[in-house]
Amino acid sequence: MRGPIASLMQQAQRMQENLKRAQEELATLEVSGQAGGGMVTVTLNGRHEVRSLKIEPSLMGGDAEMLEDLIVAACNDANNRLAEQTQARMAEVTGGIGMELRA
């Protein structure tokens, strides 16, 4: 009886180590999102922090409200892409057993 339980505990420990390693890798990930056909680009890191913002110069003299909306849309796009990559990476590590990573 001790053999199967010990084996299960070792598997759980390996999975926990793999999850920790994956979370560390995800923290260094950078993902970009775009809006307005690429006129606004936002880059986030794996901790959902905005790392950079690029705005097409032609927008600078235009409508400030539209620019604000595009920035929000680009941030949301980058967040969505980051969530997709995070889920995919965690599915690889957990073997798809339904564990979720919460940021």
Side-chain angles (χ1 to χ4, degrees):
M1 192 72 160
R2 184 175 170 107
I5 292 174
S7 176
L8 185 60
M9 293 299 288
Q10 287 177 341
Q11 286 178 342
Q13 184 176 3
R14 281 194 302 271
M15 182 180 284
Q16 186 175 15
E17 290 168 359
N18 289 340
L19 282 170
K20 183 178 180 190
R21 193 173 318 118
Q23 287 173 331
E24 290 169 355
E25 290 172 10
L26 288 168
T28 64
L29 184 67
E30 286 201 351
V31 180
S32 294
Q34 298 183 348
M39 293 189 297
V40 175
T41 301
V42 173
T43 302
L44 301 177
N45 67 15
R47 292 185 173 94
H48 297 259
E49 300 167 331
V50 176
R51 302 304 298 162
S52 70
L53 170 66
K54 294 189 182 353
I55 301 171
E56 179 69 34
S58 65
L59 292 174
M60 300 308 249
D63 182 4
E65 188 174 331
M66 182 183 82
L67 181 57
E68 292 167 354
D69 290 343
L70 289 172
I71 292 170
V72 168
C75 288
N76 289 335
D77 184 45
N79 259 320
N80 290 336
R81 290 170 190 246
L82 181 58
E84 289 170 4
Q85 289 188 27
T86 298
Q87 286 289 43
R89 179 67 177 116
M90 296 315 284
E92 288 174 17
V93 172
T94 63
I97 61 171
M99 296 181 76
E100 291 185 20
L101 175 70
R102 289 181 170 71

